[in-house]
Amino acid sequence: MEAKFIGKAKLTKQGQLTLPQEARKDLKISAESEVYWYELNDVLLVVKDIVNPKDIFDLIMKKRKK
């Protein structure tokens, strides 16, 4: 698994971000979907399905093997 740059987002004064269109398309995230945020070693992760925080590292490593 390689990292893929999909764009950038600017944080608004209200604390809002826009998820880039390419990410929404690739991950099949619709307008009413929820996403979940995790922090791991100063890296912010956004995922479309909630996971146990203890399983985040294992999830990343599992995806890498594909």
Side-chain angles (χ1 to χ4, degrees):
M1 175 178 91
E2 291 187 27
K4 177 182 177 184
F5 179 76
I6 54 169
K8 69 175 189 172
K10 184 175 181 179
L11 188 64
T12 68
K13 290 178 184 177
Q14 294 81 21
Q16 298 173 329
L17 292 172
T18 300
L19 189 59
Q21 181 179 3
E22 185 175 349
R24 294 190 315 265
K25 183 180 174 185
D26 287 354
L27 298 173
K28 297 176 181 65
I29 296 173
S30 67
E32 298 299 318
S33 296
E34 293 182 341
V35 294
Y36 305 91
W37 301 80
Y38 297 89
E39 184 270 327
L40 175 67
N41 297 333
D42 293 328
V43 173
L44 188 59
L45 303 169
V46 181
V47 296
K48 68 178 190 173
D49 297 313
I50 195 164
V51 295
N52 184 328
K54 294 177 182 176
D55 297 332
I56 291 287
F57 185 75
D58 291 337
L59 178 67
I60 293 168
M61 296 308 291
K62 185 169 130 182
K63 295 278 184 183
R64 278 183 80 184
K65 292 179 183 179
K66 288 185 177 181

